[in-house]
Amino acid sequence: MSRRKAAEAGGTGVREQRSGHGARRVRRSSAAVATVLVLLSAQACASKSDVTIDVLMVDNPQMVELQQLTATEFTPRTGIKVNFTVLPENRLRDEVDREFTAQAGKYDVASVSNFETPIYAGRHQLKALDSYTKDDSTFDVKDLIAPIADSLRGPDGRLYAAPFYGESSILMYRTDVLGNLGIRLPATPTWQQVSDAAEAVEHAKNGMHGICLRGQPGWGNMIAPLTTMINTFGGTWFDAGWNVRTDAPEFREAVRFYLDLLHKAGEDVPERSGYQECATAIEQGKVAMWYDSTAGAAQLEAPTSAVRSRIGYLSAPVLKTSTAGWLYTWAWGMEESTDHPDEAWKFMSWASGRDYQRLAGKVVGQAKAPAGTRYSTYNDPEYLADAGAFAMPTFLSITSVDPRKAGLQPRPTAGIQFVAVPEFRQLGTQASQALAGVLEGKTKLDDALADIRGMAEKVAAQYRKK
């Protein structure tokens, strides 16, 4: 019994009885209890559901429509009420960590990414979903894009989260700007080709920088795109035996290349640029190229975008590997201690189902609806008509990657732009802070890499002992 359920049942004189119409104060006499049971039984027969579930959700624009559609579509159809708690990403991760560790039953469902899902599954803090997907024909688990589904499996191979939307990384560029300079990039460019193009834009002195890359510190900011570059340069943070490889030539060369590209052809003050800053820069005509999440394409192709129809989309740049895009998904995980697993699954199935994207598309436009998780989305004529400019580049990028084979050598965990252990959040953030010091001219690269090796060794030592 979870703490929430125990609290509801606790007390000696008066207790709170939850129902769809609020709490009722019920005295503990046998007659009163019998009467309430009869009433509740009759009410359950007369309505679809009389349950409220609690959902902890990450704060991003697509969740606004979800809340609205839950109230207008999901609850009227199922009778299940949903109480949302919405938090910014960093605060959400901290809250999920605390709640899933305590298993207090405060939430039934929570936003989890493919970074946390295998970790929580290994700790038995999430319910496996296979029994639910097997009996739910409307969910259609076979329709899930394979790399997305694989990234949400636990060590036992079972599915532990239902994806809401998925993304990879691509190169976005101004077709008119590069075209005027006579630059034509292949469908999968090399990083050297991208660098040459960025420098050509810079030397044209047209008031536009060549490229925007995340230079803002954070394991989910600078470290995400940088790690994809490390992978394709042949490097890795750790090898399969948890030996630190941040001092290997391939790792060092990738880091040097990334920082040099920002110095030579990057945006002003790159250490302050994250995802949104780069999106704004390319939309305002301040940069010609942007390497980042496929999700950025929807913003660039929005009806209000100043650069709509002037952006081209290419696969993530490579060097030694054939592909280099990352893989990320926000998904719904069911807390192991939930008191309402069936109702929680109904919400998760609906919010991750084939029809939700179409429903959301009617509200915000297909191009802005959550996508990247299902094969059927990329066979939907309505979606392709609205998101045609970036739909297939996104699909090809997501389907071309394998979270278990991110580079040239075996790794100790799955994951492309991260190492899937809890300690990587701190390691990646501290490493990015050291590299931001290099961008600012406060630290030498060799000194920063030496510091990063020391940080990484502390993480590796914990796992070599296991």
Side-chain angles (χ1 to χ4, degrees), residues 240-258:
W242 280 107
N243 298 298
V244 176
R245 301 296 295 160
T246 60
D247 53 356
E250 298 85 356
F251 191 101
R252 188 186 190 285
E253 178 59 18
V255 173
R256 184 201 62 76
F257 192 97
Y258 192 92

Side-chain angles (χ1 to χ4, degrees), residues 85-319:
T85 299
V86 186
L87 295 175
E89 181 174 337
N90 287 340
R91 287 183 56 198
L92 173 121
R93 291 184 193 277
D94 291 341
E95 175 70 3
V96 172
D97 278 343
R98 284 191 296 268
E99 172 61 26
F100 278 29
T101 298
Q103 288 291 305
K106 184 177 180 181
Y107 305 104
D108 301 288
V109 176
S111 291
V112 291
S113 76
N114 54 321
F115 172 76
E116 296 95 357
T117 296
I119 297 171
Y120 293 147
R123 296 174 179 171
H124 307 291
Q125 294 170 342
L126 283 170
K127 280 190 180 295
L129 303 180
D130 294 47
S131 62
Y132 295 98
T133 62
K134 179 181 178 182
D135 297 330
D136 187 345
S137 60
T138 63
F139 183 74
D140 191 5
V141 70
K142 294 181 180 179
D143 188 40
L144 296 179
I145 294 174
I148 293 289
D150 288 345
S151 73
L152 296 172
R153 298 188 186 280
D156 58 4
R158 294 191 290 175
L159 188 70
Y160 278 86
F164 181 61
Y165 72 82
E167 65 180 57
S168 185
S169 52
I170 53 175
L171 182 71
M172 295 161 272
Y173 70 100
R174 285 282 297 273
T175 55
D176 53 342
V177 174
L178 268 62
N180 290 338
L181 293 173
I183 299 171
R184 288 179 173 80
L185 294 173
T188 304
T190 67
W191 270 113
Q192 189 59 55
Q193 290 172 325
V194 172
S195 179
D196 292 344
E199 289 191 65
V201 173
E202 198 77 21
H203 294 157
K205 298 187 183 302
N206 58 5
M208 180 180 288
H209 290 300
I211 193 168
C212 199
L213 298 169
R214 299 186 196 184
Q216 194 176 95
W219 75 283
N221 277 314
M222 180 200 294
I223 295 302
L226 174 57
T227 299
T228 68
M229 185 181 285
I230 291 168
N231 292 336
T232 197
F233 272 61
T236 182
W237 287 82
F238 307 97
D239 66 20
W242 280 107
N243 298 298
V244 176
R245 301 296 295 160
T246 60
D247 53 356
E250 298 85 356
F251 191 101
R252 188 186 190 285
E253 178 59 18
V255 173
R256 184 201 62 76
F257 192 97
Y258 192 92
L259 300 182
D260 282 355
L261 182 54
L262 284 175
H263 278 302
K264 292 185 296 186
E267 65 278 19
D268 293 328
V269 197
E271 61 272 17
R272 297 182 185 174
S273 292
Y275 169 86
Q276 192 54 56
E277 289 77 13
C278 285
T280 300
I282 193 170
E283 190 173 355
Q284 293 181 348
K286 296 179 179 179
V287 298
M289 294 187 289
W290 177 30
Y291 171 60
D292 212 295
S293 166
T294 54
Q299 180 173 337
L300 300 184
E301 297 297 335
T304 56
S305 171
V307 294
R308 187 181 188 188
S309 301
R310 288 192 284 169
I311 302 292
Y313 302 95
L314 303 174
S315 297
V318 299
L319 184 62

Side-chain angles (χ1 to χ4, degrees), residues 48 74 78 80 341-351:
K48 298 174 183 175
F74 176 74
T78 65
I80 301 169
D342 293 340
E343 290 80 7
W345 171 249
K346 287 181 181 178
F347 170 78
M348 294 165 63
S349 175
W350 172 77

Side-chain angles (χ1 to χ4, degrees), residues 398-416:
I398 292 174
T399 55
S400 70
V401 300
D402 185 342
R404 297 162 299 187
K405 298 177 182 178
L408 297 182
Q409 63 281 98
R411 314 292 172 90
T413 73
I416 298 175

